[in-house]
């Protein structure tokens, strides 16, 4: 690994062409974790850094964070908007993305129609998180520039389907580019996902064990020392399954919600308030563990923990992913 990152080739795919970046690697937006520092480091290294608008308490603080990123890099970056009704800040945050000319918005949950229309009007792109074909078809018909296919084993809200099936299945049925998310920690996986039809990857968990991530050291160490089977899905954080590392506290807390709560989360009259209350309580637990130390450890991470061995700067993570990918690419992908 002697070559400098700048010496490495670009990896040209539909995603790098759409965004004008060097590598088709997005550092996925992470609630309470991604900040301008991490975003700038990833984008400057040739990937695309991303952060959720809700990482800031107020819309004005969010606008300041975007301006900080724009002051430190001229390269593309992304903002994540939750586009469902439970997000009271959606309209304001979308207006800010438009005013600040954010190059890429990544939507999750809900209906991205308005976001796509407004971002396209200023020449920016919109990628939509999806976990199944029906929703992927819907966002494609609304004009999404790409889908981010979140598979099982992903950190955060994991999808139900293995990437081994989800990526080629979406590829067979969609015309827009597919970005694979879930479990990616090493370059060989990017090569495999490219063979299956992905035009890029979105990586979350690997960027928690990262020098720039401002999380408690115990969280980073838990990622390095966990095995794939330590990852559990819990509904206790947002009402829908979120991947967490099994700890004495999460085991005690349990992973299922009560029948009454499940009913209230489905009922059209109580759904919105219930979702907001559950998400608020869940985010308090996550926040405590991120800022730590605490014995109430609730650490979100995906199965890719098993392939993560050290805490490194974002630029080194990108460089290693690219070198590992190219090593495989040279020996297998591009064989005549
Ligand atoms: C701690 C954590 C928080 C996350 N928060 C968000 C979020 O706020 N919005 C979002 O769209 N995705 C979120 N994600 C998902 C990531 O952006 C990315 O899609 C996912 O982590 C990819 O799977 P991996 O962790 O296995 O690499 C989060 C993931 C993690 C691990």
């Amino acid at each position: 690994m002697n070559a400098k990152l700048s010496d490495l080739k670009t990896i040209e795919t539909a995603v790098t062409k759409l965004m004008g970046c060097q590598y088709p690697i997005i550092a996925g937006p992470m609630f309470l974790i991604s900040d301008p520092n991490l975003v700038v480091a990833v984008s400057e290294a040739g990937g695309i850094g991303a952060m959720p608008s809700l990482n800031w308490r107020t819309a004005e603080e969010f606008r300041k964070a975007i301006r900080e990123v724009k002051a430190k890099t001229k390269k593309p970056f992304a903002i994540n908007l939750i586009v469902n009704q439970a997000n009271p800040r959606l309209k304001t945050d979308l207006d800010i993305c438009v005013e600040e000319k954010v190059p890429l918005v990544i939507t999750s949950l809900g209906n991205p129609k308005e976001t796509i229309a407004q971002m396209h009007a200023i020449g920016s792109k919109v990628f939509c998180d999806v976990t199944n074909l029906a929703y992927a078809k819907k966002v494609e018909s609304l004009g999404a520039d790409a889908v981010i296919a979140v598979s099982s084993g992903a950190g955060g809200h994991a999808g139900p389907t293995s990437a081994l099936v989800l990526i080629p299945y979406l590829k067979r049925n969609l015309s827009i580019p597919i970005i694979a998310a879930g479990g990616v920690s090493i370059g060989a996986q990017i090569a495999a996902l490219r063979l299956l039809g992905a035009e890029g990857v979105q990586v979350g968990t690997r960027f928690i064990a990262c020098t720039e991530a401002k999380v408690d050291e115990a969280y980073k160490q838990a990622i390095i020392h966990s095995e794939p089977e330590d990852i559990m899905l819990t509904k206790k954080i947002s009402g829908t399954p979120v991947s967490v590392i099994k700890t004495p506290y999460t085991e005690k807390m349990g992973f299922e919600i009560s029948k009454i709560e499940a009913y209230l989360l489905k009922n059209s009259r109580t759904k919105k308030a219930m979702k907001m209350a559950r998400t608020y309580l869940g985010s308090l637990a996550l926040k405590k563990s991120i800022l730590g130390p605490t014995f109430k450890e609730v650490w979100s991470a995906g199965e890719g923990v098993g392939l993560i061995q050290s805490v490194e700067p974002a630029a080194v993570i990108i460089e290693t992913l690219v070198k590992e990918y190219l090593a495989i690419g040279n020996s297998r992908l591009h064989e005549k």
Side-chain angles (χ1 to χ4, degrees), residues 26-34 50-55 80-82 106-109 129 148-158 180-185 202-208 219 223 242-243 286 290 299-305 308:
I26 302 172
M30 289 188 283
F31 185 52
L32 302 172
I33 297 178
S34 317
M51 54 192 195
S53 71
L54 294 179
N55 277 7
N80 169 230
L81 297 179
I82 300 208
I106 294 173
T107 67
S108 32
L109 312 170
D129 276 2
I148 299 177
V150 185
S151 61
S152 58
H157 285 106
V184 178
S185 301
Q202 173 161 287
V203 180
T205 301
R206 181 66 190 95
F207 285 100
I208 301 174
Y219 190 179
I223 286 186
V242 170
S243 302
L286 285 174
I290 286 171
W299 292 317
S300 179
E303 290 175 0
V305 288
I308 301 171

Side-chain angles (χ1 to χ4, degrees), residues 29-45:
M30 289 188 283
F31 185 52
L32 302 172
I33 297 178
S34 317
D35 67 357
N37 214 20
L38 179 58
V39 170
V40 170
V42 170
S43 291
E44 279 293 296

Side-chain angles (χ1 to χ4, degrees), residues 86-327:
N87 177 8
R89 283 247 308 268
L90 175 59
K91 192 184 171 318
T92 324
D93 290 352
L94 176 56
D95 286 348
I96 291 175
C97 288
V98 171
E99 285 156 19
E100 297 297 329
K101 297 194 168 43
V102 166
L104 171 64
V105 166
I106 294 173
T107 67
S108 32
L109 312 170
N111 186 334
K113 186 174 174 190
E114 192 55 33
T115 304
I116 293 172
Q118 292 206 31
M119 295 313 291
H120 279 181
I122 57 159
S124 294
K125 307 291 181 213
V126 179
F127 296 173
C128 302
D129 276 2
V130 305
T131 55
N132 60 39
L133 179 61
Y135 188 62
K137 280 278 205 197
K138 179 177 164 186
V139 302
E140 181 179 56
S141 73
L142 294 173
D145 297 286
V147 291
I148 299 177
V150 185
S151 61
S152 58
H157 285 106
T161 309
S162 151
L164 216 49
V165 173
L166 184 63
I167 304 304
Y169 182 55
L170 293 181
K171 176 77 183 165
R172 185 182 284 181
N173 291 287
L174 297 179
S175 311
I176 55 177
I178 297 154
I179 295 155
V184 178
S185 301
I186 59 173
Q189 293 168 300
I190 305 179
L193 290 161
R194 293 274 291 125
L195 281 174
L196 292 172
E199 298 288 337
V201 290
Q202 173 161 287
V203 180
T205 301
R206 181 66 190 95
F207 285 100
I208 301 174
C210 169
T211 319
E212 286 87 350
K214 287 196 190 70
V215 306
D216 188 48
E217 189 54 32
Y219 190 179
K220 296 185 184 183
Q221 290 304 316
I223 286 186
I224 291 173
H225 295 292
S226 293
E227 298 177 32
E229 57 270 33
D230 293 327
I231 303 303
M232 312 295 295
L233 288 173
T234 178
K235 290 188 182 163
K236 292 259 175 163
I237 293 176
S238 68
T240 38
V242 170
S243 302
V244 293
I245 299 177
K246 193 163 59 172
T247 62
Y249 183 71
T250 50
E251 280 192 290
K252 200 168 125 208
M253 183 175 93
F255 300 98
E256 273 300 328
I257 48 176
S258 70
K259 284 199 174 119
I260 296 179
E261 189 174 333
Y263 169 77
L264 294 173
L265 277 166
K266 274 202 184 123
N267 185 299
S268 57
R269 269 187 289 164
T270 48
K271 174 160 107 174
K272 189 172 163 191
M274 198 62 208
K275 181 96 188 147
M276 282 169 86
R278 170 51 77 189
T279 307
Y280 175 71
L281 290 175
S283 66
L284 281 187
L286 285 174
K287 196 169 190 172
K288 255 196 185 156
S289 310
I290 286 171
L291 301 175
T294 171
F295 69 93
K296 294 183 175 177
E297 293 147 340
V298 186
W299 292 317
S300 179
E303 290 175 0
V305 288
L307 296 166
I308 301 171
Q309 287 164 328
S310 52
V311 176
E312 279 162 323
V316 173
I317 295 175
I318 299 266
E319 177 179 344
T320 308
L321 288 172
V322 170
K323 282 182 177 170
E324 289 169 346
Y325 168 83
L326 290 174

